[in-house]
């Protein structure tokens, strides 16, 4: 038993607070990975969440539809269980749903309350450009602001590089 997609990540507030996952039904496969179509056992679904009402089953436990509340930050695990039948053994598969708080610009990152303790954030870069690089330091800016970046563990950036998407950042004063 497996799922076509192993995880989903959404931003807090995405899609006006509700996302419906309706295209990730569990698929029963044999040891070689071929789809089994003649199984008579049932597949049921369940959801466990780190916060109440983060993710719920759609119509019933036999439906693979999952309703995600993106107004809450947290993690959920969706599990499909195949009960088995006279020919095929019982099996389980899971995937995760993450709803994360995202900082949407460098200017917003700079507004975070920091102290001497390193904190981690998810930052959404939009057309962020590396202006210059000197040794282990680089200056990166988007339309809202710029920030000095300290490179760690042999990271390399080149002036002129452009970035879009989510990145994990750590910051402290």
């Amino acid at each position: 038993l497996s799922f076509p997609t192993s995880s989903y990540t959404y931003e807090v507030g995405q899609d006006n607070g509700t996302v419906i996952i309706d295209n990730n039904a569990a698929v029963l496969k044999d040891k070689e990975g071929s789809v089994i179509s003649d199984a008579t056992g049932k597949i049921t679904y369940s959801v466990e969440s780190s916060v109440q009402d983060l993710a719920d089953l759609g119509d019933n436990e036999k439906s693979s539809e999952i309703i995600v509340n993106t107004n809450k930050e947290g993690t959920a695990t969706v599990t499909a269980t195949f009960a088995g039948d006279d020919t095929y053994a019982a099996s389980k598969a899971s995937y995760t749903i993450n709803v994360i708080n995202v900082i949407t610009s460098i200017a917003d990152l700079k507004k975070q309350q920091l102290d001497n303790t390193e904190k981690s954030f998810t930052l959404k870069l939009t057309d962020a450009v590396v202006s210059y690089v000197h040794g282990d330091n680089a200056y990166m800016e988007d339309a809202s602001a710029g920030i000095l970046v300290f490179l760690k563990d042999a990271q390399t950036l080149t002036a002129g590089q452009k970035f879009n998407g989510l990145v994990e950042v750590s910051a402290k004063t």
Side-chain angles (χ1 to χ4, degrees):
L1 194 60
S2 65
F3 284 101
T5 303
S6 62
S7 68
Y8 291 86
T9 300
Y10 301 101
E11 297 175 27
V12 170
Q14 184 172 333
D15 295 327
N16 295 318
T18 303
V19 173
I20 298 175
I21 301 172
D22 60 1
N23 59 348
N24 201 32
V27 178
L28 191 61
K29 295 182 180 183
D30 62 19
K31 291 178 185 175
E32 289 77 36
S34 299
V35 175
I36 296 172
S37 58
D38 62 343
T40 58
K42 296 179 182 178
I43 297 175
T44 57
Y45 296 86
S46 63
V47 178
E48 290 186 23
S49 299
S50 63
V51 294
Q52 187 174 355
D53 299 325
L54 179 72
D56 293 306
L57 292 174
D59 296 333
N60 58 58
E61 70 176 13
K62 295 176 186 164
S63 169
S64 65
E65 180 181 272
I66 305 297
I67 301 166
V68 181
N69 177 354
T70 62
N71 288 320
K72 297 181 177 191
E73 186 175 3
T75 301
T77 301
V78 177
T79 302
T81 303
F82 173 65
D85 60 19
D86 293 339
T87 308
Y88 303 103
S91 61
K92 286 185 177 185
S94 298
Y95 69 88
T96 57
I97 300 167
N98 298 298
V99 180
I100 59 173
N101 189 27
V102 174
I103 297 171
T104 58
S105 69
I106 291 174
D108 288 342
L109 176 64
K110 293 172 84 170
K111 293 176 187 175
Q112 300 302 306
Q113 295 295 321
L114 298 175
D115 55 30
N116 288 333
T117 306
E118 192 169 281
K119 294 181 182 176
S120 295
F121 303 95
T122 300
L123 173 63
K124 185 175 192 174
L125 295 175
T126 303
D127 296 331
V129 177
V130 177
S131 299
Y132 71 83
V133 178
H134 179 72
D136 289 339
N137 301 321
Y139 190 78
M140 180 180 286
E141 54 192 323
D142 63 11
S144 69
I147 193 166
L148 185 61
V149 178
F150 298 97
L151 305 174
K152 294 168 59 172
D153 302 324
Q155 293 172 320
T156 57
L157 293 177
T158 305
Q161 277 183 295
K162 190 176 193 179
F163 293 91
N164 286 289
L166 299 178
V167 296
E168 295 298 317
V169 297
S170 296
K172 67 180 183 178
T173 55

Short mmCIF file of all heavy atoms in Angstrom, two decimals, residues 1-40:
data_model
loop_
_atom_site.label_atom_id
_atom_site.label_comp_id
_atom_site.label_asym_id
_atom_site.label_seq_id
_atom_site.Cartn_x
_atom_site.Cartn_y
_atom_site.Cartn_z
N LEU A 1 0.86 -1.17 0.00
CA LEU A 1 0.00 0.00 0.00
C LEU A 1 0.90 1.23 0.00
O LEU A 1 1.89 1.29 0.73
CB LEU A 1 -0.88 -0.03 1.25
CG LEU A 1 -2.08 0.91 1.31
CD1 LEU A 1 -3.04 0.64 0.16
CD2 LEU A 1 -2.79 0.74 2.63
N SER A 2 0.59 2.20 -0.83
CA SER A 2 1.38 3.42 -0.88
C SER A 2 0.51 4.58 -1.35
O SER A 2 -0.58 4.37 -1.89
CB SER A 2 2.58 3.26 -1.81
OG SER A 2 2.16 3.08 -3.14
N PHE A 3 1.04 5.79 -1.13
CA PHE A 3 0.38 7.00 -1.60
C PHE A 3 1.20 7.60 -2.73
O PHE A 3 2.43 7.57 -2.68
CB PHE A 3 0.26 8.03 -0.48
CG PHE A 3 -0.81 7.72 0.53
CD1 PHE A 3 -0.49 7.17 1.75
CD2 PHE A 3 -2.13 8.00 0.25
CE1 PHE A 3 -1.47 6.90 2.69
CE2 PHE A 3 -3.12 7.73 1.17
CZ PHE A 3 -2.79 7.17 2.41
N PRO A 4 0.56 8.19 -3.74
CA PRO A 4 1.32 8.86 -4.81
C PRO A 4 2.18 10.01 -4.31
O PRO A 4 3.26 10.26 -4.83
CB PRO A 4 0.22 9.37 -5.76
CG PRO A 4 -0.98 8.55 -5.46
CD PRO A 4 -0.87 8.17 -4.01
N THR A 5 1.72 10.72 -3.28
CA THR A 5 2.46 11.85 -2.73
C THR A 5 2.72 11.58 -1.25
O THR A 5 1.80 11.22 -0.51
CB THR A 5 1.65 13.16 -2.89
OG1 THR A 5 1.37 13.34 -4.28
CG2 THR A 5 2.42 14.36 -2.37
N SER A 6 3.97 11.76 -0.80
CA SER A 6 4.32 11.40 0.58
C SER A 6 4.12 12.53 1.58
O SER A 6 4.06 12.27 2.78
CB SER A 6 5.77 10.92 0.64
OG SER A 6 6.64 11.96 0.23
N SER A 7 4.02 13.78 1.11
CA SER A 7 3.77 14.88 2.04
C SER A 7 3.24 16.10 1.30
O SER A 7 3.47 16.26 0.10
CB SER A 7 5.03 15.25 2.81
OG SER A 7 5.98 15.83 1.95
N TYR A 8 2.52 16.92 2.04
CA TYR A 8 2.00 18.19 1.54
C TYR A 8 2.39 19.27 2.54
O TYR A 8 2.34 19.05 3.74
CB TYR A 8 0.47 18.16 1.45
CG TYR A 8 -0.08 17.25 0.39
CD1 TYR A 8 -0.30 15.91 0.63
CD2 TYR A 8 -0.40 17.76 -0.87
CE1 TYR A 8 -0.82 15.08 -0.35
CE2 TYR A 8 -0.92 16.94 -1.86
CZ TYR A 8 -1.13 15.60 -1.59
OH TYR A 8 -1.65 14.78 -2.56
N THR A 9 2.75 20.44 2.03
CA THR A 9 3.06 21.57 2.89
C THR A 9 2.24 22.78 2.43
O THR A 9 2.23 23.11 1.24
CB THR A 9 4.56 21.90 2.86
OG1 THR A 9 5.29 20.76 3.32
CG2 THR A 9 4.88 23.10 3.75
N TYR A 10 1.58 23.41 3.39
CA TYR A 10 0.76 24.58 3.12
C TYR A 10 1.19 25.71 4.06
O TYR A 10 1.69 25.47 5.14
CB TYR A 10 -0.73 24.27 3.35
CG TYR A 10 -1.24 23.16 2.48
CD1 TYR A 10 -1.39 21.88 3.00
CD2 TYR A 10 -1.53 23.38 1.15
CE1 TYR A 10 -1.85 20.84 2.19
CE2 TYR A 10 -1.97 22.35 0.34
CZ TYR A 10 -2.13 21.08 0.86
OH TYR A 10 -2.57 20.06 0.06
N GLU A 11 0.94 26.92 3.63
CA GLU A 11 1.20 28.09 4.45
C GLU A 11 -0.04 28.40 5.29
O GLU A 11 -1.16 28.21 4.83
CB GLU A 11 1.52 29.30 3.58
CG GLU A 11 2.77 29.14 2.75
CD GLU A 11 3.00 30.30 1.80
OE1 GLU A 11 2.54 31.42 2.10
OE2 GLU A 11 3.65 30.09 0.76
N VAL A 12 0.17 28.88 6.53
CA VAL A 12 -0.94 29.31 7.36
C VAL A 12 -1.76 30.33 6.58
O VAL A 12 -1.21 31.28 6.01
CB VAL A 12 -0.45 29.90 8.70
CG1 VAL A 12 -1.60 30.55 9.45
CG2 VAL A 12 0.20 28.83 9.56
N GLY A 13 -3.07 30.12 6.50
CA GLY A 13 -3.97 31.02 5.80
C GLY A 13 -4.12 30.76 4.32
O GLY A 13 -4.91 31.43 3.65
N GLN A 14 -3.39 29.79 3.79
CA GLN A 14 -3.44 29.52 2.35
C GLN A 14 -4.86 29.14 1.92
O GLN A 14 -5.59 28.47 2.63
CB GLN A 14 -2.47 28.38 2.02
CG GLN A 14 -2.37 28.06 0.55
CD GLN A 14 -1.25 27.05 0.26
OE1 GLN A 14 -0.29 26.95 0.99
NE2 GLN A 14 -1.42 26.33 -0.82
N ASP A 15 -5.23 29.56 0.74
CA ASP A 15 -6.53 29.24 0.13
C ASP A 15 -7.70 29.59 1.05
O ASP A 15 -8.63 28.80 1.21
CB ASP A 15 -6.59 27.78 -0.30
CG ASP A 15 -5.60 27.47 -1.42
OD1 ASP A 15 -5.35 28.35 -2.25
OD2 ASP A 15 -5.06 26.35 -1.45
N ASN A 16 -7.63 30.75 1.66
CA ASN A 16 -8.70 31.24 2.55
C ASN A 16 -8.99 30.30 3.71
O ASN A 16 -10.11 30.26 4.21
CB ASN A 16 -9.98 31.52 1.75
CG ASN A 16 -9.79 32.64 0.76
OD1 ASN A 16 -9.17 33.66 1.07
ND2 ASN A 16 -10.30 32.47 -0.45
N GLY A 17 -8.02 29.53 4.12
CA GLY A 17 -8.16 28.71 5.31
C GLY A 17 -8.56 27.27 5.11
O GLY A 17 -8.59 26.50 6.06
N THR A 18 -8.90 26.86 3.89
CA THR A 18 -9.31 25.47 3.67
C THR A 18 -8.70 24.93 2.38
O THR A 18 -8.78 25.57 1.33
CB THR A 18 -10.85 25.36 3.54
OG1 THR A 18 -11.45 25.89 4.72
CG2 THR A 18 -11.28 23.92 3.38
N VAL A 19 -8.09 23.76 2.50
CA VAL A 19 -7.57 23.05 1.34
C VAL A 19 -8.18 21.66 1.35
O VAL A 19 -8.29 21.03 2.41
CB VAL A 19 -6.03 22.94 1.40
CG1 VAL A 19 -5.50 22.05 0.29
CG2 VAL A 19 -5.38 24.31 1.34
N ILE A 20 -8.57 21.17 0.21
CA ILE A 20 -9.10 19.81 0.11
C ILE A 20 -8.12 18.98 -0.72
O ILE A 20 -7.82 19.32 -1.86
CB ILE A 20 -10.50 19.78 -0.53
CG1 ILE A 20 -11.47 20.57 0.36
CG2 ILE A 20 -10.97 18.34 -0.74
CD1 ILE A 20 -12.86 20.72 -0.21
N ILE A 21 -7.61 17.91 -0.10
CA ILE A 21 -6.74 16.97 -0.81
C ILE A 21 -7.65 15.84 -1.29
O ILE A 21 -8.17 15.07 -0.49
CB ILE A 21 -5.63 16.41 0.10
CG1 ILE A 21 -4.77 17.55 0.66
CG2 ILE A 21 -4.78 15.39 -0.65
CD1 ILE A 21 -3.79 17.11 1.73
N ASP A 22 -7.86 15.78 -2.59
CA ASP A 22 -8.78 14.76 -3.11
C ASP A 22 -8.17 13.92 -4.22
O ASP A 22 -8.87 13.18 -4.90
CB ASP A 22 -10.08 15.41 -3.60
CG ASP A 22 -9.86 16.42 -4.71
OD1 ASP A 22 -8.71 16.61 -5.13
OD2 ASP A 22 -10.85 17.01 -5.16
N ASN A 23 -6.86 14.00 -4.39
CA ASN A 23 -6.23 13.26 -5.48
C ASN A 23 -5.07 12.40 -4.98
O ASN A 23 -4.12 12.16 -5.71
CB ASN A 23 -5.72 14.24 -6.54
CG ASN A 23 -4.71 15.23 -5.96
OD1 ASN A 23 -4.55 15.32 -4.75
ND2 ASN A 23 -4.05 15.96 -6.82
N ASN A 24 -5.14 11.93 -3.75
CA ASN A 24 -4.03 11.18 -3.18
C ASN A 24 -4.51 9.87 -2.55
O ASN A 24 -4.14 9.52 -1.44
CB ASN A 24 -3.26 12.02 -2.16
CG ASN A 24 -1.85 11.50 -1.94
OD1 ASN A 24 -1.23 10.97 -2.85
ND2 ASN A 24 -1.35 11.65 -0.73
N ALA A 25 -5.36 9.14 -3.26
CA ALA A 25 -5.87 7.87 -2.74
C ALA A 25 -4.73 6.85 -2.66
O ALA A 25 -3.83 6.81 -3.49
CB ALA A 25 -6.98 7.34 -3.64
N ALA A 26 -4.79 6.02 -1.62
CA ALA A 26 -3.80 4.96 -1.46
C ALA A 26 -3.96 3.93 -2.58
O ALA A 26 -5.07 3.67 -3.05
CB ALA A 26 -3.97 4.29 -0.10
N VAL A 27 -2.82 3.37 -2.99
CA VAL A 27 -2.83 2.39 -4.07
C VAL A 27 -2.20 1.10 -3.55
O VAL A 27 -1.11 1.12 -2.99
CB VAL A 27 -2.01 2.92 -5.29
CG1 VAL A 27 -1.98 1.89 -6.40
CG2 VAL A 27 -2.59 4.23 -5.78
N LEU A 28 -2.89 -0.01 -3.74
CA LEU A 28 -2.38 -1.31 -3.33
C LEU A 28 -1.47 -1.85 -4.43
O LEU A 28 -1.86 -1.90 -5.60
CB LEU A 28 -3.55 -2.26 -3.08
CG LEU A 28 -3.24 -3.58 -2.40
CD1 LEU A 28 -2.65 -3.33 -1.01
CD2 LEU A 28 -4.49 -4.43 -2.30
N LYS A 29 -0.24 -2.21 -4.03
CA LYS A 29 0.74 -2.72 -5.00
C LYS A 29 1.38 -3.99 -4.49
O LYS A 29 1.46 -4.22 -3.28
CB LYS A 29 1.84 -1.67 -5.24
CG LYS A 29 1.34 -0.40 -5.88
CD LYS A 29 2.47 0.58 -6.13
CE LYS A 29 1.95 1.85 -6.78
NZ LYS A 29 3.05 2.77 -7.09
N ASP A 30 1.87 -4.80 -5.43
CA ASP A 30 2.58 -6.01 -5.03
C ASP A 30 4.05 -5.69 -4.76
O ASP A 30 4.47 -4.53 -4.86
CB ASP A 30 2.43 -7.11 -6.09
CG ASP A 30 3.01 -6.75 -7.44
OD1 ASP A 30 3.85 -5.83 -7.52
OD2 ASP A 30 2.65 -7.39 -8.44
N LYS A 31 4.85 -6.72 -4.44
CA LYS A 31 6.26 -6.51 -4.09
C LYS A 31 7.06 -5.87 -5.21
O LYS A 31 8.04 -5.17 -4.97
CB LYS A 31 6.91 -7.83 -3.70
CG LYS A 31 6.40 -8.39 -2.41
CD LYS A 31 7.05 -9.73 -2.09
CE LYS A 31 6.44 -10.33 -0.86
NZ LYS A 31 6.96 -11.67 -0.58
N GLU A 32 6.67 -6.09 -6.45
CA GLU A 32 7.37 -5.52 -7.60
C GLU A 32 6.91 -4.10 -7.94
O GLU A 32 7.42 -3.48 -8.85
CB GLU A 32 7.21 -6.43 -8.84
CG GLU A 32 7.98 -7.75 -8.76
CD GLU A 32 7.29 -8.77 -7.84
OE1 GLU A 32 6.04 -8.82 -7.83
OE2 GLU A 32 8.01 -9.49 -7.13
N GLY A 33 5.89 -3.63 -7.24
CA GLY A 33 5.40 -2.28 -7.47
C GLY A 33 4.25 -2.20 -8.47
O GLY A 33 3.82 -1.10 -8.83
N SER A 34 3.74 -3.34 -8.91
CA SER A 34 2.60 -3.34 -9.84
C SER A 34 1.30 -3.16 -9.08
O SER A 34 1.12 -3.72 -7.99
CB SER A 34 2.55 -4.66 -10.63
OG SER A 34 3.73 -4.82 -11.37
N VAL A 35 0.38 -2.39 -9.65
CA VAL A 35 -0.91 -2.13 -9.01
C VAL A 35 -1.73 -3.41 -8.96
O VAL A 35 -1.82 -4.15 -9.93
CB VAL A 35 -1.68 -1.03 -9.77
CG1 VAL A 35 -3.07 -0.84 -9.20
CG2 VAL A 35 -0.91 0.28 -9.74
N ILE A 36 -2.33 -3.65 -7.79
CA ILE A 36 -3.21 -4.81 -7.59
C ILE A 36 -4.64 -4.32 -7.76
O ILE A 36 -5.09 -3.44 -7.03
CB ILE A 36 -3.01 -5.40 -6.18
CG1 ILE A 36 -1.58 -5.93 -6.04
CG2 ILE A 36 -4.04 -6.49 -5.92
CD1 ILE A 36 -1.23 -6.36 -4.63
N SER A 37 -5.36 -4.90 -8.71
CA SER A 37 -6.72 -4.44 -8.97
C SER A 37 -7.79 -5.46 -8.55
O SER A 37 -8.97 -5.13 -8.55
CB SER A 37 -6.89 -4.10 -10.45
OG SER A 37 -6.59 -5.23 -11.24
N ASP A 38 -7.37 -6.67 -8.20
CA ASP A 38 -8.35 -7.70 -7.88
C ASP A 38 -8.51 -7.97 -6.38
O ASP A 38 -9.14 -8.94 -5.98
CB ASP A 38 -8.01 -9.01 -8.60
CG ASP A 38 -6.66 -9.59 -8.19
OD1 ASP A 38 -5.85 -8.85 -7.59
OD2 ASP A 38 -6.43 -10.79 -8.46
N ALA A 39 -7.98 -7.11 -5.54
CA ALA A 39 -8.11 -7.29 -4.09
C ALA A 39 -9.56 -7.03 -3.67
O ALA A 39 -10.22 -6.15 -4.21
CB ALA A 39 -7.18 -6.35 -3.35
N THR A 40 -10.02 -7.82 -2.72
CA THR A 40 -11.40 -7.65 -2.24
C THR A 40 -11.47 -6.99 -0.87
O THR A 40 -12.54 -6.59 -0.44
CB THR A 40 -12.12 -9.02 -2.17
OG1 THR A 40 -11.38 -9.89 -1.31
CG2 THR A 40 -12.24 -9.63 -3.57
#
